[in-house]
Amino acid sequence: MPSNIWVLAETWRGQVTETTLELLTLGRELGGKLEVVLLGNKSLAASLVGADNVLCAENVAPTPEAVAAALTQLVKERQPQAVLVPWTNLSMDAGALAAAQLNAPFIGGCKDIKADAGTLVAQCVVYGGKLEAAVAATTTPALFGVLPGARAASSGNAPAVTDVTVTLPEAKVKFTKYLEPEAGDVDITQQNVLVAVGRGIQTKDNMELANDLAAALGGAVCGSRPVIDQGWLPLSRQVGKSGMQVKPKLYVMLGISGAPEHVEGIKGAQLIVAVNTDAAAPVFNVAHYGIVGDALEIAPALTDAVKAKK
Amino acid sequence: MNHDPVRITVLGIPGWAVLWVLSVAAFGVFGWRVWQLIGLLRRARPENRFDQLGQRVLRFCRHVLLQPRLFNERSIGLPHLVIFWGFVLYVICFNWSLVRGLFPVLPIPYPEEVAVVAMFLKVFAVLVLVSLGVAVVRRIFFPPAHLHLSWDANLILSLIATLMVTTLLNMWWTHMITVLCFLVYLPYSKHLHLLASPFNVFFGNLRPAGDLSIAGGSEELASGSSKWNEFTWKQLLSGFSCAECGRCDRACPAATAGFPLEPQQLVQKLKKHTIHGNGAKLVGETITEDEIWACTTCMSCMERCAVLNEQIPIIVQMRRHLVAEGQMAKTLQDALQNFNRYGNSFGKSDRMRAKWTQPLGWKVKDARKEPVEYLWFVDDYASYDPRMEEITRQTARLFQQAGVDFGILYEGERNAGNDVRRVGEEGLFEMLREKNQQAFAKAQFQTIVTTDPHAYNALKNEYDLNGTKVLHYSELFDRMIQSGSLVPVKKLGLKATYHDPCYLGRYNDVYEPARRVLKAAGVELVEMPRNRCQSYCCGAGGGRIWMEDTAGVKERPAESRVREAAALGVNVLVVACPKDLVMFQDAVKTAGLEGKLTVKDLTELVQEALKP
Amino acid sequence: MNILVLLKMVPDVVEELEVAGDGKSLDASFLRTIINERDDHALEQAILLKERHGGKVTVVALDAPDIDDTFFTAIAKGADRAVKITDAPEGLTTQSAARLCAEAIAGLLPADLILTGVQALDDLDGLSAALIAQQLNFPYVGVVTAVSAGGPTATVLKEFAGGVRGEFAVTLPAVLGVQAAEKPPRYVPIAKVRAVMKTSKIETVSAPGEAAAAQIDVRQLAKPVVSSHAEMLDGSPEEVAGKLVELLAQRGLL
């Protein structure tokens, strides 16, 4: 029986997300027929390029339970080998519920999946990025939560579409509305230069150093989650899994360890410079240039050097 | 005197009878009020200040009778001493007069009828009036900041003046009635300090200032105080004793910087709450959390206070309450959680505590495994802060060069807990102390030496070390130079100034060793105006280094200090505490003094002087 | 409100993590465990709800080294009851552990809410919160950052990306996977925890039944193979700043 790989499509603001397309590229590599489960507007099926077929069911509420119920039904009916689910806030809930309902493993945090003699083995990020595990699924179907950026977005032809019907249980979770973050003065997704601060900045007062550097470079300040949680920067400046995806030409990281949740947000950054006191920090695997040192000393030195040069 | 003043009649009633009525009334009100105030103290928590009576008497004689503290500000010391002794004389004479007036049958003269006494009374009247004049001129034309200019104070000055004038003008009845009025007014006014402060001094703290434990205190003290009756009677007595002079505010780095804290206000609020107890909460409303957290525990207030008030234990009591309620800044919370889990405030593994030794290339002795002469208690900042690491290594090399047999506890060491205690987390302090003492018990050493004055203070005053001596490294360097085991080979010939760390100087009276070391290294030492016991705190103590500045800060203490140093025309500011180094280096940048003033640790200078 | 909170201990990543000789697991000699950060937030959210609405908070966890300390700290923060699941078999994965806990939690019902962290950094084959929800047949929402209750439904906020959150109405009883509590986890003084240690007891309940067979096989655990590493710049802050500025200038970024 030819192995069947499925991708759970996720849509956001009326469009298919880039992560979905990345999963299509990965799914194609794993062999067999590549199908996409699209629980949303049929017109979006055309953008799922590279897939063989789209299983489309409209009118599925955007709640974890509805999506999971639909996915579970389809998987039970059609028995794919694996379902690739975007490992994002949007989709991981539904993926986790569906896996539980199917009594299947949900292997999350995958940065890569390879087929090894019929078995799918995922390379997973664990312990905050400090280690990686090679995890093989020993049963089918198996669900994989794949990190954004694992592959390039897919290309090719629009797929065929199959309408499917799913019966949903009585809803115990109802979606009410979206809450937008307060519009900040600055849209960091449009900035060419960003200075990002993490826990290493230590106190709110030291934010000044980042502000000075950003001003000297002609950019803006953003931060990783801990800094936003402390209230030192507004939500509109958060970069990462729950925050913004940014694509600046220059991204200077001060005192950020490089945990996956933040790194996810900077895949599009062209030049990444990281400053951290810990030479073993994962951030140095992501950055192009690294400085082992105290951000509180390096930042002002850098500001002075930039001003002198300009 | 021409006639017996009490032999007159007023509306047919003999004078002495009127005197009786007035005296009984006045003393009655006075006594009732004092009894009321004592009653408030009795409802507070206990504290044992009844030991070492001999020492207490000596203290009383010094600070009440001679009042050296009053002289720590210009032009008011002598006037106040004169007013005080005048008061003593006048009290004696008043009571003498009163007894004679109430019992006219007694065959004793009035005090004014004894020539010598009359002379003293008149002489002191003049002296007191002159002193009052100085006080008034000071108040009106040169008032020091934070001097509380109140109607209360003006009324008292007027009453005293009246007493002196009535004596000079032989106005007996006016004088006596004025005294009786004063008597009634006294326990309701700021002049309560007159009654309370001698007791405040007598029951003052005889233990080292750096020991925050309360003798004979109840266990509940550890969970803090939020209501007036949750403080100890001695702490409440501070409120009654405060003379509203403002010395503490003028010395306080937090108040001067523009933080919400003013020690005088704090003590006054406590007093008002104790006496009037209005509806508002003492801790959180009357005294705000920002006020309570603003203190660096530098002890300048207590060093200056003319009535020997103890402001810091009061602040720590309130902090203990806030900690028990979990009401503190997130950064402080994180620091405490890190102390609990990793034994340091940096959140780094305790296994990394001795990582700084690796680049040395030779192994520092492990005091847990082999006996050493000196146990070097490195503490957090010197171990973990990247800016301190190289200096810590230099200190290690210096020790080795001088042939000091030393070792460290490696991962067995925890933060000494000084600032944890001052932040109010008493349970965590006890845990850290317990762990350190356990590590000490297993190691073998003669003396403890530390580079951190905060650790020095806790180890010396709050730990049970079975008599083991604790040295600050400046004391060890001093000894080594004097014994010849450390010989500076070159004279550095630079002009520098030295900052006395709060916990080494003011708290533990150690001022000279570092100065001797610097002189031996050939440094030309220029003193800052605020030196030795008047040293100005860098602002990091009392846990402030783990908290953020509040809005409205005018000039941070560290910035004020580095400007003071720069104004001397020196290019080096020498420090002997890792937190001072970090704070002043930052302040040099923010004050725009880069290139003009360099901050160096004592070790760095000694190292330079040793190089041929 | 009756709230159950499931906690678990995970390796503390502040420490160095070393791989054991078998190449598949963590070297236990360097291991220190700490409460899963998301679970700590779940506990805080539970206590906040208790403070607002009254009721009881019960903390549940599988037996593990240092779990007692975590239980006592939870009680000191305001939890009412602590239940430890003992005698669980070895070699549990995220999924089998979660199902075991779900069985034990079933024995503690009824409850209005079951809170636990949405994920943990040692998760391999599932998300505990979702597994528990499915097994108990309760509705589930994850990545929750706010909860208001008071009635048959709870209103929860779930995080999406870009700082956007979604509001959901959830019929109780429900399971919520907490990302962050509305306030950072509170501090509880050591003295309070010590006092709790003297007065409180941790109940125990035996792990029910057998663990399900694992559906994954961990073939390797290793330090990440880095395809690239940053080019490091050395020197004093001034030197490093100088070098970097040159680099930026060359690329026209200044």
Side-chain angles (χ1 to χ4, degrees), chain B residues 111 290 306:
Chain B
D290 280 346

Side-chain angles (χ1 to χ4, degrees), chain C:
Chain C
M1 282 203 83
N2 208 354
I3 307 175
L4 296 173
V5 182
L6 178 67
L7 306 175
K8 84 163 163 172
M9 303 297 280
V10 297
D12 187 353
V13 295
V14 161
E15 310 286 339
E16 303 278 302
L17 294 178
E18 298 291 332
V19 179
D22 65 357
K24 295 184 191 181
S25 54
L26 284 178
D27 189 338
S29 52
F30 286 96
L31 209 58
R32 285 235 183 100
T33 55
I34 192 173
I35 186 176
N36 175 24
E37 196 178 344
R38 307 280 139 240
D39 291 342
D40 206 10
H41 280 262
L43 175 62
E44 179 63 27
Q45 186 65 51
I47 311 247
L48 287 171
L49 286 168
K50 175 186 166 180
E51 284 173 352
R52 273 182 232 154
H53 305 287
K56 275 178 60 165
V57 173
T58 306
V59 279
V60 187
L62 279 173
D63 196 2
D66 296 331
I67 194 70
D68 283 8
D69 258 350
T70 305
F71 273 131
F72 289 125
T73 307
I75 296 173
K77 286 187 182 183
D80 302 282
R81 200 178 155 202
V83 179
K84 188 180 354 182
I85 306 169
T86 55
D87 307 314
E90 296 267 315
L92 292 173
T93 64
T94 317
Q95 201 190 75
S96 36
R99 292 205 182 277
L100 214 77
C101 290
E103 278 288 324
I105 286 174
L108 296 170
L109 295 174
D112 299 296
L113 272 178
I114 299 172
L115 301 183
T116 188
V118 61
Q119 56 180 142
L121 37 70
D122 63 350
D123 280 341
L124 280 180
D125 62 349
L127 293 181
S128 309
L131 286 156
I132 292 170
Q134 184 272 326
Q135 192 154 318
L136 296 175
N137 198 22
F138 284 174
Y140 169 69
V141 179
V143 205
V144 167
T145 54
V147 183
S148 7
T153 62
T155 309
V156 306
L157 288 183
K158 175 199 157 77
E159 266 188 4
F160 290 111
V164 179
R165 291 169 297 167
E167 190 185 89
F168 293 83
V170 185
T171 315
L172 300 181
V175 176
L176 298 178
V178 174
Q179 169 71 19
E182 289 162 47
K183 289 196 195 140
R186 66 194 60 198
Y187 183 78
V188 60
I190 306 284
K192 216 167 175 186
V193 178
R194 282 191 167 171
V196 162
M197 278 187 198
K198 291 185 196 148
T199 56
S200 302
K201 256 196 62 102
I202 300 172
E203 300 169 38
T204 55
V205 72
S206 223
E210 296 212 351
Q215 297 170 321
I216 56 160
D217 172 30
V218 178
R219 293 194 177 178
Q220 193 200 39
L221 187 62
K223 294 235 160 71
V225 170
V226 281
S227 48
S228 65
H229 191 276
E231 190 182 315
M232 305 305 287
L233 304 174
D234 295 312
S236 71
E238 289 72 29
E239 288 167 1
V240 157
K243 287 183 194 173
L244 189 58
V245 164
E246 279 306 314
L247 280 167
L248 295 179
Q250 274 170 24
R251 291 167 184 243
L253 286 167
L254 283 187

Side-chain angles (χ1 to χ4, degrees), chain A residues 119-206:
Chain A
T119 309
L120 293 174
V121 184
Q123 191 70 9
C124 303
V125 169
V126 287
Y127 304 120
K130 279 202 161 179
L131 293 176
E132 280 178 5
V135 183
T138 55
T139 59
T140 56
L143 281 79
F144 294 85
V146 182
L147 287 164
R151 291 288 187 279
S154 61
S155 53
N157 302 323
V161 181
T162 311
D163 291 311
V164 292
T165 42
V166 287
T167 29
L168 297 172
E170 187 196 322
K172 291 197 213 159
V173 177
K174 293 198 173 87
F175 172 73
T176 330
K177 60 179 187 247
Y178 287 111
L179 277 88
E180 302 289 330
E182 269 179 38
D185 44 343
V186 165
D187 181 358
I188 56 172
T189 61
Q190 302 302 314
Q191 293 287 316
N192 274 334
V193 176
L194 285 172
V195 174
V197 291
R199 270 190 243 248
I201 207 79
Q202 285 176 33
T203 70
K204 189 177 187 173
D205 301 326
N206 295 331

Side-chain angles (χ1 to χ4, degrees), chain B residues 25-209:
Chain B
F27 274 90
V29 172
F30 173 81
W32 178 81
R33 174 63 167 178
V34 169
W35 184 243
Q36 202 187 24
L37 293 173
I38 294 177
L40 290 171
L41 294 182
R42 293 176 73 196
R43 280 159 63 191
R45 287 179 174 164
E47 184 171 353
N48 184 5
R49 293 287 180 98
F50 308 107
D51 58 330
Q52 301 181 70
L53 292 177
Q55 282 279 63
R56 295 189 178 281
V57 168
L58 285 173
R59 212 161 222 244
F60 179 92
C61 292
R62 183 175 151 78
H63 286 287
V64 178
L65 306 183
L66 301 175
Q67 304 182 352
R69 292 266 179 112
L70 263 297
F71 288 81
N72 65 17
E73 290 195 337
R74 48 171 213 180
S75 56
I76 196 65
L78 194 54
H80 185 273
L81 196 61
V82 167
I83 296 173
F84 170 79
W85 281 104
F87 168 81
V88 171
L89 174 67
Y90 271 71
V91 163
I92 296 171
C93 292
F94 165 76
N95 283 297
W96 177 346
S97 267
L98 190 65
V99 166
R100 171 58 181 79
L102 293 174
F103 302 99
V105 296
L106 287 173
I108 56 173
Y110 280 102
E112 302 85 349
E113 291 172 329
V114 179
V116 166
V117 176
M119 183 195 74
F120 266 107
L121 283 169
K122 303 246 160 148
V123 164
F124 262 97
V126 171
L127 288 176
V128 169
L129 280 170
V130 169
S131 301
L132 287 173
V134 172
V136 167
V137 164
R138 177 179 182 253
R139 254 166 201 268
I140 298 176
F141 298 105
F142 313 103
H146 303 284
L147 178 65
H148 201 202
L149 303 167
S150 58
W151 284 111
D152 190 4
N154 295 340
L155 183 55
I156 287 167
L157 289 169
S158 312
L159 283 170
I160 301 174
T162 309
L163 293 176
M164 301 301 115
V165 166
T166 51
T167 299
L168 290 170
L169 297 179
N170 293 322
M171 296 162 69
W172 192 90
W173 274 102
T174 320
H175 182 95
M176 297 302 275
I177 292 174
T178 308
V179 174
L180 291 173
C181 289
F182 205 164
L183 194 65
V184 166
Y185 181 57
L186 199 145
Y188 290 90
S189 74
K190 85 158 195 165
H191 232 52
L192 179 58
H193 89 262
L194 210 138
L195 290 173
S197 59
F199 292 99
N200 200 43
V201 169
F202 187 80
F203 292 121
N205 184 22
L206 292 179
R207 286 144 117 234

Side-chain angles (χ1 to χ4, degrees), chain A residues 33 43 57 63 77 119 134 153 191 266 292:
Chain A
K33 190 170 178 200
S43 62
T63 63
E77 281 169 24
T119 309
Q191 293 287 316
I266 60 174
V292 177

